[in-house]
Amino acid sequence: MPAAGSPSDDAILVVDDIVVRYETAEGPITAVDDVSFKVRPGEFLSVIGPSGCGKSTLFNVIGGLLSHHQGVVSVAGETISGPHQSIGMVFQEESTFPWRTVIDNVAFPLELVGMARAKRAERAHYFIALVGLAGFENRYPGELSGGMRQRVSLARTLASEPKILLMDEPFAALDEQTRLLLGDKVLQIQQQLKQTTLLITHNITEAVQMSDRILVMTYRPGKTKRIVDIDLPRPRTSEVVSSVAFGRYVAEIWSDLREEASRGMQDEESYVLHHDGTAS
Amino acid sequence: MTAAAPAKLSNLGNFTARVVGIGALVLFLLVAEILIQTGAISRFIVPPPSEIIGSFYRIITQEHVFSRFLLTAGECLTAGVMITVFGIAGGVLMHRFKLLQQACETWVAAMASAPVVLMYPLFMVIFGRNVWTIIMMGFVAALPPVILKTIEGIAGTRKVLVNVGRSFNLSPAQQFWKILFPAALPTIFVGVRLGLIFALINIVGVEFLINYGGLGQLIEDLAERYDLGGTYAAICFVILVSVLFFMALEKAERWLRPVD
């Protein structure tokens, strides 16, 4: 079997044999076990799995925020061992800087590279318009809705012009309608910028709506269960959710996930019973 | 409804709040005046507000209250700048070096509640009977809350903001100045406000105790002469120092961090 990332292929991101173990009071736990995949330039790949399958751990490994792992992550052939400018991260939690206006938030990465004030304002305006927030430049995050704040975070990450956009359940805290509409926005941006994107999610609809491929993970330890190609037409919008093919993909992935999610739920229940002291 | 309408309502609300605030103060003074004039409260303990107001002109012209006010305000300002600089630096260092924090945090917390003012004879031995004894007493008494609140503010920075900084590959200095410090500012300002209260109490207290200039000495002097109206009028100037510092601090906070 060839290595997940041979230099001859055209993958921009190669995740190869990632294993993450944690020491806990109950003994060592393997959170991620032997996960390998590649992402091609311009591709939208989603990683989906039940709660506790190690999705966020994988996000931190790829983003370089977690160092105690085995295996290799490489971007455009370069092995990375920490946060890397080629990977832009959007977090699940609200992560705008409340003390900065929208434009100052978005200009943050440009400020770090020492871009001149006028130039960075111009670039920030471009990315703010791209996420549909033109007119809100001088507002503070506290004056915006949750969905708007996530768009500010997205614009800030895009402003650093990463080769790979890495998102960890960015719409998890939002309602379903906002989530679908923001999915549209992300799709539009991804297609416009031809942005390579890796989305970590537990939401099947969101994954099918946006992805070219979906990697399904098992419940703990998180392994690759299978990779599903999503052959839905592009450009895509949220209207795709009403198509027969979309429903078929959702059902197919759910049948994969159902068993894993059930295992996770049983595991949680037995943990609670065991630690509650109420087990018979 | 136009966009200007909510702004008008908000202005009206602010105006009403101010009127109610000033009205409550006037009402309080009126009630105090009536209670004292009717003998319900002895005028030999609390002078009537009319007598206090009448004493202002006298303490301004005869007791050089403005130069004393400037001296006390200057001491407070010096101590305030010192607690801000050294308190924040101390808090940052203690947060950065966990051993230092583990070793010293309890002592600092204990010092925050200790009656430092009782150490004034020691400070007089060290600094002499001069303005530096007063400033250093204010400084030492006010330092702990700034240190403790700085540690609390930095430690309380949301992990996701730290991770945003890490994802952008910030250096430790950038991580501090661009994320940790602004995120901790509201908590640090709580510490500085507390510190200023401690500083003002100690500065006026030590001026009173060592009889060395400022409003504290004036209060002591007027109380010795049993000039109750003058004493309370001088206390009003101490309150004025406090109000001025709090207003300046609020401006500084809004300038550094326009919104919470």
Side-chain angles (χ1 to χ4, degrees):
Chain A
M1 185 178 164
S6 65
S8 59
D9 62 40
D10 64 346
I12 188 166
L13 173 69
V14 177
V15 175
D16 195 10
D17 288 342
I18 296 297
V19 179
V20 184
R21 289 193 184 89
Y22 289 111
E23 287 299 328
T24 68
E26 281 81 26
I29 284 182
T30 305
V32 178
D33 192 13
D34 222 3
V35 170
S36 301
F37 60 87
K38 298 172 189 174
V39 185
R40 293 186 296 271
E43 187 183 18
F44 198 123
L45 179 100
S46 289
V47 174
I48 194 166
S51 297
C53 77
K55 299 185 298 287
S56 292
T57 304
L58 192 61
F59 169 82
N60 287 331
V61 169
I62 298 169
L65 300 182
L66 201 67
S67 54
H68 67 276
H69 63 85
Q70 293 168 26
V72 173
V73 176
S74 54
V75 178
E78 183 192 348
T79 301
I80 60 169
S81 56
H84 195 275
Q85 60 188 19
S86 299
I87 298 178
M89 302 172 80
V90 179
F91 295 84
Q92 181 179 350
E93 304 96 325
E94 206 280 286
S95 67
T96 53
F97 300 132
W99 57 89
R100 284 173 171 254
T101 57
V102 168
I103 192 164
D104 287 342
N105 260 286
V106 176
F108 182 73
L110 311 174
E111 191 181 305
L112 295 174
V113 296
M115 189 180 280
R117 185 180 288 269
K119 178 77 178 161
R120 72 175 184 246
E122 184 193 326
R123 295 297 294 156
H125 275 292
Y126 169 76
F127 285 103
I128 289 168
L130 194 67
V131 298
L133 286 177
F136 292 91
E137 288 84 353
N138 295 316
R139 298 294 183 95
Y140 284 92
E143 299 170 308
L144 306 178
S145 69
M148 291 163 95
R149 287 201 287 261
Q150 273 307 57
R151 278 189 275 167
V152 174
S153 299
L154 177 63
R156 181 180 61 193
T157 305
L158 290 172
S160 66
E161 301 189 48
K163 285 181 180 157
I164 297 152
L165 178 63
L166 177 61
M167 300 192 285
D168 182 19
E169 308 195 33
F171 314 133
L174 307 177
D175 64 83
E176 187 60 27
Q177 291 160 27
T178 311
R179 187 186 292 206
L180 279 169
L181 292 173
L182 283 189
D184 274 353
K185 184 55 79 180
V186 170
L187 270 175
Q188 182 199 326
I189 293 166
Q190 193 258 342
Q191 285 158 15
Q192 191 176 334
L193 301 178
K194 300 196 182 350
Q195 176 73 58
T196 309
T197 308
L198 180 59
L199 172 70
I200 309 282
T201 183
H202 64 260
N203 187 305
I204 306 175
T205 316
E206 189 175 275
V208 177
Q209 181 194 350
M210 293 194 268
S211 311
D212 296 308
R213 287 189 300 150
I214 298 176
L215 184 149
V216 183
M217 285 181 78
T218 62
Y219 179 68
R220 197 176 296 154
K223 294 181 177 192
T224 306
K225 184 158 186 169
R226 74 178 181 122
I227 294 179
V228 183
D229 287 307
I230 305 296
D231 189 17
L232 292 171
R234 285 197 188 269
R236 232 181 262 169
T237 66
S238 54
E239 283 176 14
V240 77
V241 301
S242 57
S243 71
V244 175
F246 183 91
R248 207 169 50 240
Y249 281 121
V250 170
E252 192 183 329
I253 291 165
W254 174 234
S255 72
D256 279 333
L257 273 179
R258 188 176 179 155
E259 185 192 338
E260 303 302 326
S262 302
R263 216 153 53 81
M265 197 183 276
Q266 283 166 11
D267 200 25
E268 274 178 15
E269 284 167 3
S270 69
Y271 179 87
V272 170
L273 282 174
H274 181 72
H275 286 81
D276 215 18
T278 52
S280 56
Chain B
M1 190 184 265
T2 62
K8 261 187 183 173
L9 280 175
S10 168
N11 286 342
L12 189 68
N14 286 341
F15 177 74
T16 312
R18 277 182 195 169
V19 169
V20 171
I22 293 168
L25 180 67
V26 171
L27 185 69
F28 170 77
L29 293 175
L30 271 175
V31 170
E33 182 76 29
I34 292 165
L35 290 174
I36 295 163
Q37 295 291 2
T38 55
I41 297 173
S42 167
R43 64 186 304 134
F44 297 109
I45 297 170
V46 183
S50 56
E51 191 183 322
I52 297 171
I53 292 165
S55 304
F56 274 104
Y57 179 74
R58 186 161 48 78
I59 67 163
I60 289 169
T61 53
Q62 294 172 18
E63 308 291 346
H64 312 292
V65 78
F66 281 123
S67 61
R68 290 170 182 275
F69 169 82
L70 287 177
L71 179 63
T72 302
E75 288 161 355
C76 273
L77 181 66
T78 312
V81 170
M82 285 166 68
I83 58 165
T84 306
V85 172
F86 291 100
I88 293 174
V92 170
L93 280 176
M94 282 171 68
H95 178 265
R96 175 76 183 75
F97 300 104
K98 291 294 166 202
L99 180 65
L100 190 65
Q101 186 179 348
Q102 284 169 349
C104 303
E105 195 173 1
T106 313
W107 293 108
V108 176
M111 222 176 91
S113 54
V116 180
V117 71
L118 297 178
M119 291 168 69
Y120 81 92
L122 175 67
F123 279 69
M124 281 181 73
V125 171
I126 298 170
F127 297 102
R129 188 174 165 273
N130 61 41
V131 76
W132 279 104
T133 290
I134 298 166
I135 291 170
M136 290 309 289
M137 285 295 304
F139 168 67
V140 170
L143 195 60
V146 185
I147 294 176
L148 295 174
K149 283 290 172 186
T150 302
I151 296 171
E152 186 187 317
I154 296 174
T157 303
R158 288 193 298 130
K159 192 163 188 282
V160 70
L161 298 185
V162 176
N163 279 340
V164 170
R166 290 178 66 201
S167 77
F168 284 120
N169 235 337
L170 299 193
S171 66
Q174 284 175 319
Q175 185 79 272
F176 176 76
W177 286 113
K178 293 198 178 288
I179 294 180
L180 293 175
F181 184 66
L185 259 182
T187 316
I188 292 174
F189 265 93
V190 172
V192 174
R193 277 202 192 92
L194 276 172
L196 271 178
I197 294 169
F198 286 17
L200 184 61
I201 291 169
N202 278 273
I203 282 169
V204 176
V206 177
E207 281 176 349
F208 190 102
L209 283 169
I210 71 172
N211 206 18
Y212 183 87
L215 292 170
Q217 188 202 27
L218 178 63
I219 291 166
E220 199 265 345
D221 196 24
L222 292 166
E224 284 287 313
R225 285 188 256 148
Y226 211 68
D227 180 353
L228 288 184
T231 304
Y232 279 82
I235 289 170
C236 288
F237 275 91
V238 176
I239 294 168
L240 184 63
V241 176
S242 171
V243 168
L244 286 178
F245 275 95
F246 272 77
M247 284 168 66
L249 210 57
E250 199 165 311
K251 289 268 180 216
E253 188 174 5
R254 283 283 158 247
W255 178 64
L256 284 167
R257 190 165 164 162
V259 292
D260 292 327

